[in-house]
């Protein structure tokens, strides 16, 4: 995913937007996930009016050391099933090394192949000097900058109860050697039926840049579990060749009981 979030698997780039970054992404401590967590999502393409399972995305969290610091090593991988590679082949791997104390990224690796579009970038963040050194050069970055994976795991710790419907939650992200001022729009809470089961969920929209797969604007909806885990449950979006639905289909080692699950299929 070029994206997100779920951002996360076959993602699209967030849209740059002229909003001032708030302190929400500066200083949060992790209270939603733990090392050993694994989440699997299945990607469904809408073809000829029918949704077909065409790929999967996985997120695995490990606890490691980097430069003497404890880090969450989060690995996100997305791929289409081989039977659908003819349609739009995806082989993506994202890695983020997140400082456990500050929840800010120290290193980010992006290695993607989406329909023949290939990118490799290895980024090291100096969060003290506010510098990002990538495969292509050195860049000045703002305080509290995130990468595409760290932003997802950071956002899982947001207290949405203090926001009103349609509030925007802005932050800055470094991707493709550029800094983006972006936001997610909080849309409230609702009950959602997924292919795994029925959940109480939190819904929001990221603003997207038009890219290789995703249309621009607020075309994507994201639902996460309305419990302390804030697990991504469903992502739904229009894409350049139709539309997709991405549902959580498996999980392991969540930090808390999955209390948002109303009933499993």
């Amino acid at each position: 995913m070029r994206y997100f979030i779920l951002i996360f698997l076959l993602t699209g780039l967030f849209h740059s937007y002229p909003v001032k970054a708030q302190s929400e992404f500066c200083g949060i401590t992790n209270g939603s996930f733990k090392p050993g967590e694994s989440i699997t999502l299945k990607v469904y393409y809408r073809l000829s009016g029918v949704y077909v399972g065409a790929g999967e995305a996985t997120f695995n969290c490990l606890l490691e050391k980097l430069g003497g610091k404890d880090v969450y090593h989060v690995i996100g991988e997305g791929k289409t099933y081989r039977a659908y590679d003819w349609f739009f082949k995806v082989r993506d791997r994202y890695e983020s090394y997140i400082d456990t104390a500050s929840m800010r990224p120290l290193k980010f690796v992006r290695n993607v192949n989406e329909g023949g579009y290939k990118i490799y970038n290895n980024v090291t963040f100096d969060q003290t000097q506010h510098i990002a050194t990538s495969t292509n050069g050195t860049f000045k970055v703002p305080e509290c900058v995130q990468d595409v994976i760290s932003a997802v795991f950071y956002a899982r710790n947001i207290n949405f109860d203090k926001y009103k419907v349609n509030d925007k939650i802005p932050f800055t992200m470094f991707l493709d050697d550029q800094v983006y001022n972006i936001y997610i729009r909080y849309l409230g809470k609702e009950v959602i039926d997924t292919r795994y089961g029925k959940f109480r969920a939190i819904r929001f929209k990221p603003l997207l840049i038009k890219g290789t797969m995703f249309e621009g604007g607020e075309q994507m909806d994201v639902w996460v579990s309305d419990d302390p885990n804030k697990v991504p449950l469903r992502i739904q979006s229009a894409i350049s060749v139709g539309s997709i639905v991405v549902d959580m289909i498996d999980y392991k080692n969540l930090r808390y009981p999955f209390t948002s699950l109303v009933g499993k299929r």
Side-chain angles (χ1 to χ4, degrees), residues 2 15 19 35 52 63 66 94 113 122 125 138 154 210 260:
R2 262 181 82 192
H15 178 68
V19 292
V52 296
L63 182 62
L66 182 69
Y94 292 80
N113 182 347
N122 189 321
F125 292 97
T138 299
Y154 203 109
K210 186 173 183 179
S260 63

Side-chain angles (χ1 to χ4, degrees), residues 90-142:
V90 174
R91 296 290 187 274
D92 287 359
R93 182 179 174 93
Y94 292 80
E95 297 180 67
S96 183
Y97 297 78
I98 306 166
D99 188 338
T100 60
S102 68
M103 287 297 291
R104 300 178 192 178
L106 300 178
K107 182 179 179 180
F108 173 67
V109 181
R110 183 182 184 204
N111 189 359
V112 304
N113 182 347
E114 299 173 353
Y117 177 79
K118 298 181 181 180
I119 287 182
Y120 176 82
N121 204 357
N122 189 321
V123 182
T124 300
F125 292 97
D126 184 330
Q127 294 284 3
T128 302
Q129 299 298 319
H130 310 310
I131 291 173
T133 303
S134 78
T135 302
N136 306 306
T138 299
F139 305 87
K140 197 72 176 174
V141 295

Side-chain angles (χ1 to χ4, degrees), residues 39-219:
I39 298 173
T40 303
L41 303 102
K42 189 169 183 176
V43 182
Y44 296 85
Y45 286 122
R46 189 172 188 270
L47 298 171
S48 302
V50 177
Y51 282 100
V52 296
E56 288 187 4
T58 60
F59 292 90
N60 292 290
C61 179
L62 308 172
L63 182 62
E64 297 180 0
K65 290 278 189 180
L66 182 69
K69 293 185 176 181
D70 289 329
V71 295
Y72 297 117
H73 181 192
V74 180
I75 303 169
E77 295 182 290
K79 64 179 181 179
T80 44
Y81 298 138
R82 294 194 181 278
Y84 295 97
D85 282 350
W86 63 271
F87 175 61
F88 194 93
K89 182 178 179 179
V90 174
R91 296 290 187 274
D92 287 359
R93 182 179 174 93
Y94 292 80
E95 297 180 67
S96 183
Y97 297 78
I98 306 166
D99 188 338
T100 60
S102 68
M103 287 297 291
R104 300 178 192 178
L106 300 178
K107 182 179 179 180
F108 173 67
V109 181
R110 183 182 184 204
N111 189 359
V112 304
N113 182 347
E114 299 173 353
Y117 177 79
K118 298 181 181 180
I119 287 182
Y120 176 82
N121 204 357
N122 189 321
V123 182
T124 300
F125 292 97
D126 184 330
Q127 294 284 3
T128 302
Q129 299 298 319
H130 310 310
I131 291 173
T133 303
S134 78
T135 302
N136 306 306
T138 299
F139 305 87
K140 197 72 176 174
V141 295
E143 186 178 8
C144 305
V145 71
Q146 299 289 326
D147 64 49
V148 72
I149 295 295
S150 70
V152 174
F153 280 75
Y154 203 109
R156 287 176 60 183
N157 289 282
I158 291 175
N159 179 11
F160 288 96
D161 289 335
K162 67 182 184 181
Y163 290 97
K164 298 178 181 179
V165 173
N166 284 322
D167 277 355
K168 297 173 183 177
I169 306 171
F171 59 99
T172 57
M173 185 172 71
F174 185 78
L175 185 65
D176 290 342
D177 300 333
Q178 295 186 58
V179 174
Y180 292 93
N181 293 314
I182 58 184
Y183 67 76
I184 58 177
R185 183 192 297 275
Y186 172 58
L187 295 179
K189 299 182 178 182
E190 59 191 45
V191 175
I192 184 172
D193 278 306
T194 74
R195 287 166 177 82
Y196 188 90
K198 180 180 289 187
F199 291 89
R200 290 184 295 273
I202 299 166
R203 181 184 177 189
F204 57 85
K205 278 181 176 286
L207 194 62
L208 304 175
I209 286 178
K210 186 173 183 179
T212 57
M213 283 190 64
F214 290 88
E215 300 294 335
E218 294 187 358
Q219 298 295 319

